[in-house]
Amino acid sequence: MIRFLSLSACLLLTACASSPQSLYQESVKAGQSPMASSTLEAIHNTQAIPLPISAEPLAPQWPISADEPRLDFGSSISNYRVFSLELKKGERYTLNVQSLCRKPCVSFNKLALKPRAMLLDSYGAIIANQPSRASAVVGQINLSWDGEAPEDGTYYLLVAADNDNLGETIVIDDVWVNNSPLMAVKVGMTSSPFGRISAFSSPRQN
């Protein structure tokens, strides 16, 4: 608990002797939640939440905190959540992830979780991990993925914190459209390992 409090203070006051990332990595390695070393293990280490179909203003929220399971990405370790959805071969999907500014969200204290999300098949293979769209409004980051299911089956949306640059201004720089990268989206908030997220599928158009 003391280390997590130190991390929060370090994110607010950048003059810490240890970097926010090193403080977090020390804390997360000592955590008690399950640690996965692969996406398949990450799916098995938690109970997947059925991904809701929702209009944006009504999307439910979930915390990503130190209590959630952890995944070792190699470059950093992150707490995460997993959502499940059923898709038919060739079915189009639009998946959305929103990250909300942590309270109090004021000019000198705008902390948010930078989402690192990927769509996985039932074997843990990555189907999509580069968002089709990214935007930011006051106090909120929005990411969306458009695609088509390659096979019938259960798919999993894994949403984690991108902890590669904790304590720095959030930049979404992996947005791709038509196999081409777009300009990076800079967000006026600071990267935090914990926060509240919404994850949902947009209603299908008939």
Side-chain angles (χ1 to χ4, degrees):
M1 174 63 73
I2 294 175
R3 285 181 174 177
F4 286 123
L5 292 175
S6 298
L7 170 63
S8 297
C10 196
L11 288 171
L12 295 176
L13 304 173
T14 57
C16 294
S18 298
S19 71
Q21 185 168 354
S22 63
L23 280 172
Y24 173 72
Q25 296 303 314
E26 289 176 11
S27 299
V28 78
K29 287 178 183 176
Q32 300 300 311
S33 62
M35 171 83 82
S37 58
S38 69
T39 52
L40 182 59
E41 187 180 3
I43 293 172
H44 291 163
N45 279 355
T46 188
Q47 181 68 44
I49 302 166
L51 186 70
I53 299 174
S54 178
E56 183 173 331
L58 304 177
Q61 299 176 10
W62 291 270
I64 291 182
S65 68
D67 295 328
E68 272 63 66
R70 298 162 294 163
L71 175 58
D72 188 347
F73 285 94
S75 57
S76 61
I77 299 171
S78 304
N79 298 92
Y80 68 91
R81 284 186 178 268
V82 172
F83 303 86
S84 63
L85 67 157
E86 300 291 329
L87 294 171
K88 298 291 186 182
K89 182 177 180 178
E91 183 177 356
R92 300 289 303 175
Y93 60 78
T94 296
L95 309 178
N96 308 280
V97 172
Q98 299 173 338
S99 179
L100 309 176
C101 185
R102 293 177 57 185
K103 296 180 180 179
C105 189
V106 293
S107 59
F108 60 89
N109 181 22
K110 288 185 177 180
L111 299 176
L113 177 149
K114 178 183 178 181
R116 171 182 271 172
M118 58 189 74
L119 181 65
L120 310 171
D121 67 13
S122 59
Y123 301 101
I126 298 174
I127 304 301
N129 62 350
Q130 296 170 322
S132 307
R133 294 181 301 282
S135 64
V137 296
V138 177
Q140 181 173 300
I141 302 166
N142 305 300
L143 302 178
S144 296
W145 290 259
D146 297 324
E148 183 177 292
E151 301 290 344
D152 293 0
T154 301
Y155 292 82
Y156 298 93
L157 179 64
L158 186 151
V159 183
D162 186 338
N163 292 328
D164 287 350
N165 296 290
L166 287 176
E168 298 182 12
T169 299
I170 296 172
V171 177
I172 309 297
D173 56 5
D174 55 356
V175 182
W176 283 61
V177 174
N178 296 327
N179 296 318
S180 298
L182 296 180
M183 184 180 298
V185 177
K186 190 172 183 178
V187 178
M189 291 183 282
T190 300
S191 179
S192 169
F194 308 123
R196 295 190 67 82
I197 59 106
S198 291
F200 59 97
S201 175
S202 295
R204 296 179 177 88
Q205 301 295 324
N206 295 325

